[in-house]
Amino acid sequence: SYPEINYGNGAKWIKNLTQGRLSNFLGGHFADVNLSSKLFVHRLDGPGVVDLQVWSAPGLTKPLFAEALRQKFRPAKKGESFGPSCTNHWWKVKMTIPSSWKEYERVQLEFDPDCEAMIFSTDGVPLQGITGGYGGDRRVEHIIPREAVLRGIYEVVIESSCNGMFGVPWNGDTIAPPDMNRYFKLASADLVVPNQEAWRLMWDFNTLRELVDTLPGNSPLQNKALVTANAIMNAFTTGDDDNIKQMRAIAEDVFGKGWEAKGPGIYDEGARKAQVVGISYCHIDTAWLWPYAVTQQKTARSWSTQIDLMGRYPEHRFACSQAQQFKWLEQQYPPLFEKLKRKVASGQFHLIGGAWVENDGNLPSGEALVRQFLYGQRYFQSRFGKRCETAWLPDSFGLTAAYPQLIRDSDGTQVLCHMTPVGKSPRHNLESNNTALLVFGNGDGGGGALPKMLENLRRIRAVTNNHRELPPVSMGSTVEQFFEDIERDSKGGRSLPVWRGELYLERVATLATICQPASSDYVYPKKSIDDCWEKVLLNQLLPGSAIGMVYDDAERLYSEVRRDCQKMLDEVFGVLLTAPSTACGDSVLAGKPSGFLALNLTPFSRQEVVEVPLTGDGALPSFPTVIQRSLDGKRGYALIECEEDGICNRETSVHDECLSASVSVESVSSNNFILRTPVIKMIVCEGRITSIYDLVLKRELIEEGKTGGLVIFEDRPNYWDAWDVEIHHLEARTPLAFSSFRVVAQGPLRATIEARVKYGQSDIKVMISMDGIPATRQHDSRPLIKFDAEVDWHEKHKFLKFELPLNINNTVATYECQFGFVQRPTYKNTTLDAAKFEVCGHKYADFSEFGYGVAILSESKYGFACEGNVLRISLLRAATAPDADQDQGLHEFSWAVMPHVGSFLESDVPRAACLFNSPLHVRAIPRGAGTAEPFVRKFPFSLHGARNVFLETVKRGEDDDFESPTAKKTVVLRLYEAFGGYGRTELRISRNVHVLAAYTTNLLEDTKAELAISRDIREDGASTLDLEFRGFEVKTVKLVLADDERSRAKHSK
């Protein structure tokens, strides 16, 4: 019966003090008397137990296993320091294991070089990665195989690399520039016996503590976990085997009796359907705070570790993306690659993403995004016999609105998108679906899952098998199965919310293979093109937030691409022209050429003023088409007329009446100039643009009382220096006024003034030009105002932009993205509106109203903004972290201002932007070389009927036989609708190209449907295909061509 008197105090606690007590059970001030003191039974080191030899690779070289083992090693010992940063050191480690240790469950090598490392078998097979130091990603233990413990001798080879998981930041701040003179101390090289039951108790306790810290306060499970953890601490006495067994039994009050004996079978009990699906992953930035060479090592370390864990945790599944990293592994670590292939076949190692790298989602062109999937999926198919079914971009700084279509077209499935809730309150769209993907493991710098993570998940599942306050977690399934469950439960996605918006090399080589003369032995350079594309795709993960070493690598790779592409272009010209020719670059021509030819790589007709170098005496060539020269006599100007679908075009004579109505420059004073054509006039006054005036419509485009030009903003983000542009940077603005001018060219084809300004430590020179011809051949097109800048930039935390305050009013501005455009508000009604103050755009940004608009065209800059009526393009930044010298030095870039009649949808802006980004390839024909006529003048593919459909890409089919010019060929055309509406176009194929069949395909060039081919036998004998497009649709067409013998037989008839 209930006592009448109670002399005690009862079980009342002070909860926050009890909860705070839990931190004293492991480590900290009481580490010598708490559980941490019981984690190891034995520890030995030194000669005779762990014998060490080392060889240090010279400089920053990264020799592979076989080369390293050929070197001369020296004796080494624990406590030595190695460096400097990013150097590599190879160890031979021989362990002698005491015979008395055979009785223990596990014996380990603890190797802590305070940096990253990888353990190899003596025959060169990577076994696992090492992460030294005492961070949360610490992984320094290597389990010695049981047979080696019984034998008493064990040997391994270790490569240590002098960098941490996140590089070598000089002051400890992750994003600080690297300290290239850092040394790392070998903190341990010990033979140890862990107390496995003590480690399991530690994992028990950590899970209980996480329940206490994570669950809502005062819930039943939180209180039970706290009571249980507190009871474990009270039960800790001697820490011997019996005491540890007693404490582990207490933990079963939360986990359930006998839970551990079930092993991975714990996931088979409890709820039939899990709300959280766990899969391991380690995001490895292909370059960030480390260069590509370090990424290659990180990949092998991380993946070998995950394969090792699969042997101990059968439920463990590891997802991995980025074909480039697989290719590096295949090339540099073949034995590990073979192990990986076996794990892919067994279903434990999952291929995801399908792209070449986890690329930036904003800057790459539409075709480059296609190639990411094309090259990535073809690699996975060729090596593993399967493609990836899930697109995977967990760390991209923005996702283009073009992605859903590209993803869907590349694998034929509906796109479902999931944003994992880890680290956030999972509150979004719970009314539609209450499942989530738990993607766990150390990432960015690699690593992946740790044993403690997999142990914790087993315990969490045990908890949910007995309690209902946590969502149950499952292990062992794939990402694809997770999405299949969502698709089924959401009735094919119908119950899910929808989010709209954004979250040219082969053309000429293909032409040469189609149109080459019978005497030519030209072969399509597929391998060279693939090599170039792979280098470009690799570098498309760099949005500007990596260390300087990464950009050194990128510049080297881009230089190789430029060199190889120019070589391929020169080879093509040798095929297409009947006589030799040379590129018209900046150097003076050796002699007066007999003429010029220009190659137009766009599908558009065009008229263009081209600059050509003059002979050493500055004299104009003897032919009449170079009719203007610069005032310094170094450059001549000629007019190139490219007819519809023209490929190779000669310079054009200009009539006197055209010259009189062309462009001129008027110097009103030393810093006041007027550039004028018959339709557009621009005034530069006191170093600023004060007027852009349409002479035909009598319309001023600059807001009254305002000026346009260069402007400097203070650029000091709250933390992420090279990543973020904060809205408050717009509050500190300094307009720049040009201080000196000179006239460079006076017309009649081109008028140019050179403008200079010095700001801080930087020198800025801009050539401002206007040509006497319109931007495109559209009937009401206006001339471009071009700005060619040369900037010697030496600022810090400054942002250089160009802006125009326009006499235009609209609530949105238009920015090109991949295969289309997006529109962003020009106002700040809401915080979401205000957050869109800086916009990623590709070739143009347009601000229009009914009747008129102005666009800024860009050939290499991707940041734009339209604030109210002020249209801007971002030109240069100057962050100092993680690259202390970001953007420092000499830059050359161009942009253009394009006035246009009509709103954006009525304009020729997309066409003009394509032309601005694809200058003519001008070739000089040396005297005495004969008549350099092209074998073909017209492009074999042309579009008719819809001005909103563009031909983006012409390439050879991926599955062609490229070894022989007489083998059957396929040509792939990629087209898209550019204005966001319906389009119906006729694709005409020249009679010189005999098409056997035509198909629409997906982006991976798998056939979707056959197209009907019409033959125009009454006129030019062309073949035609009728194509329909919805807004922004990308369509891929594959043409199967007749072999050369059949084609020649047809032509002879």
Side-chain angles (χ1 to χ4, degrees), residues 833-891:
D833 297 332
K836 298 177 180 179
F837 60 89
E838 182 85 5
V839 186
C840 180
H842 281 206
K843 298 188 287 292
Y844 64 78
D846 184 84
F847 187 48
S848 302
E849 62 185 18
F850 175 78
Y852 214 96
V854 174
I856 294 180
L857 311 185
S858 170
E859 45 80 66
S860 61
K861 302 298 178 182
Y862 296 86
F864 297 93
C866 191
E867 184 184 20
N869 67 326
V870 181
L871 186 62
R872 295 191 181 102
I873 180 172
S874 300
L875 302 175
L876 287 173
R877 290 188 71 200
T880 58
D883 182 1
D885 298 314
Q886 184 194 70
D887 280 358
Q888 301 297 296
L890 189 63
H891 297 259

Side-chain angles (χ1 to χ4, degrees), residues 447 645 714 819:
D645 310 322
E714 296 291 335
F819 299 125

Side-chain angles (χ1 to χ4, degrees), residues 838-976:
E838 182 85 5
V839 186
C840 180
H842 281 206
K843 298 188 287 292
Y844 64 78
D846 184 84
F847 187 48
S848 302
E849 62 185 18
F850 175 78
Y852 214 96
V854 174
I856 294 180
L857 311 185
S858 170
E859 45 80 66
S860 61
K861 302 298 178 182
Y862 296 86
F864 297 93
C866 191
E867 184 184 20
N869 67 326
V870 181
L871 186 62
R872 295 191 181 102
I873 180 172
S874 300
L875 302 175
L876 287 173
R877 290 188 71 200
T880 58
D883 182 1
D885 298 314
Q886 184 194 70
D887 280 358
Q888 301 297 296
L890 189 63
H891 297 259
E892 295 181 359
F893 50 87
S894 301
W895 71 96
V897 173
M898 180 184 175
H900 60 82
V901 177
S903 67
F904 169 75
L905 293 179
E906 301 170 292
S907 76
D908 54 342
V909 169
R911 176 175 293 200
C914 288
L915 297 177
F916 187 66
N917 278 264
S918 300
L920 294 171
H921 291 263
V922 182
R923 312 285 293 189
I925 310 302
R927 287 192 178 277
T931 303
E933 294 297 332
F935 283 107
V936 58
R937 287 190 175 275
K938 281 187 173 291
F939 202 68
F941 313 109
S942 59
L943 300 178
H944 301 269
R947 72 178 187 91
N948 57 327
V949 177
F950 287 9
L951 175 59
E952 167 79 358
T953 300
V954 179
K955 63 183 289 294
R956 286 284 299 276
E958 291 295 317
D959 296 315
D960 283 5
D961 176 4
F962 298 98
E963 298 302 317
S964 169
T966 60
K968 187 170 71 174
K969 306 177 180 70
T970 63
V971 173
V972 172
L973 312 178
R974 191 129 37 238
L975 310 92
Y976 72 99

Side-chain angles (χ1 to χ4, degrees), residues 62-65 90 118 120 124-126 159 293-301 327-339:
K62 188 180 73 69
L64 299 177
F65 182 89
W90 285 82
M118 184 158 63
F120 294 79
V125 179
E159 178 195 28
V294 172
T295 305
Q296 295 161 2
Q297 296 169 313
K298 284 177 175 288
T299 299
R301 294 183 201 119
K327 184 172 182 178
W328 280 335
L329 196 79
E330 179 184 17
Q331 294 171 332
Q332 299 184 6
Y333 306 96
L336 177 57
F337 189 75
E338 290 304 313
K339 290 174 67 175

Side-chain angles (χ1 to χ4, degrees), residues 279-282 284 299-308 310 314-322 325-326 329 336-337 339-352 380 384 386 476-478 480:
I279 190 163
S280 174
Y281 170 68
C282 69
I284 303 178
T299 299
R301 294 183 201 119
S302 301
W303 298 357
S304 62
T305 298
Q306 299 311 305
I307 290 173
D308 174 64
M310 290 171 188
E315 74 273 24
H316 179 38
R317 300 292 182 269
F318 180 68
C320 200
S321 67
Q322 309 196 81
Q325 294 180 6
F326 283 84
L329 196 79
L336 177 57
F337 189 75
K339 290 174 67 175
L340 184 152
K341 287 175 69 174
R342 291 193 290 271
K343 292 299 182 182
V344 170
S346 69
Q348 293 172 281
F349 202 108
H350 297 166
L351 310 175
I352 55 174
F380 289 124
F384 304 101
K386 63 170 68 175
S477 59
T478 67
E480 286 72 29

Side-chain angles (χ1 to χ4, degrees), residues 122 209 272 384 429 491 537 553 600 611 621 667 735 778 1014:
T122 54
R209 187 178 174 192
R272 295 183 61 184
F384 304 101
N429 309 134
K491 301 179 180 62
L537 297 176
D553 285 346
N600 177 21
E611 287 188 9
S667 177
Q778 187 167 306
S1014 300

Side-chain angles (χ1 to χ4, degrees), residues 244 246 263 490 743 772 907 958 1005 1043:
I244 290 175
Q246 174 194 2
S490 64
V743 177
S907 76
E958 291 295 317
E1005 300 179 17
D1043 60 53

